[in-house]
Amino acid sequence: SYAGQTLDITRMRGMLEDESSIKRQEMMKAVKEENLRLAKEKKDKEIQQRKDELEQDYKEIKYSMVPYGAKDELPPSFEEFAKTKGVMPVLKKKQLLNTLILHI
């Protein structure tokens, strides 16, 4: 009977649409999780890179200022230096380098 076939086809179509919808939702969830993981990884990498740059700046300042008697102008530790994001000591480093250039 035609009506029974139509009903079966409609039911099958509904089941296939539901299955497709579930698969699409699962795929979108997986893509979202992957994007979040990649974003976190990128952020962590940028933070580590900035920390490495600050640490390098601190070491450059430390080893360029200490021999010239400017030890008191340095933050006591890298952590203290990093809290200021390296701004003040880097400015002092530039001033010191200008001073050193004048003495050479």
Side-chain angles (χ1 to χ4, degrees):
S1 59
Y2 182 75
Q5 289 177 343
T6 303
L7 186 60
D8 289 341
I9 290 172
T10 303
R11 188 177 312 126
M12 179 61 91
R13 180 179 173 206
M15 288 173 28
L16 291 172
E17 285 177 351
D18 289 345
E19 184 180 321
S20 174
S21 177
I22 290 170
K23 283 183 181 178
R24 189 176 333 110
Q25 288 174 352
E26 289 173 353
M27 183 184 68
M28 290 176 70
K29 182 180 177 184
V31 167
K32 182 179 178 180
E33 288 173 358
E34 178 67 10
N35 286 341
L36 289 172
R37 187 190 66 77
L38 289 173
K40 183 182 182 325
E41 189 176 292
K42 180 180 177 185
K43 183 179 177 183
D44 291 346
K45 184 178 178 181
E46 289 172 352
I47 289 170
Q48 185 61 43
Q49 185 177 8
R50 178 65 179 140
K51 183 180 176 192
D52 291 345
E53 289 171 3
L54 283 172
E55 193 166 0
Q56 182 65 30
D57 286 346
Y58 180 74
K59 287 178 181 177
E60 287 177 12
I61 292 169
K62 182 177 178 180
Y63 294 111
S64 64
M65 293 176 85
V66 171
Y68 295 94
K71 185 177 182 180
D72 296 335
E73 296 180 30
L74 280 176
S77 67
F78 170 71
E79 289 74 21
E80 189 68 30
F81 176 78
K83 286 179 187 176
T84 66
K85 302 223 186 295
V87 175
M88 290 306 294
V90 169
L91 292 176
K92 289 180 184 179
K93 177 185 174 188
K94 288 179 182 178
Q95 292 170 351
L96 177 69
L97 291 176
N98 287 337
T99 305
L100 293 175
I101 290 170
L102 293 174
H103 285 93
I104 293 177

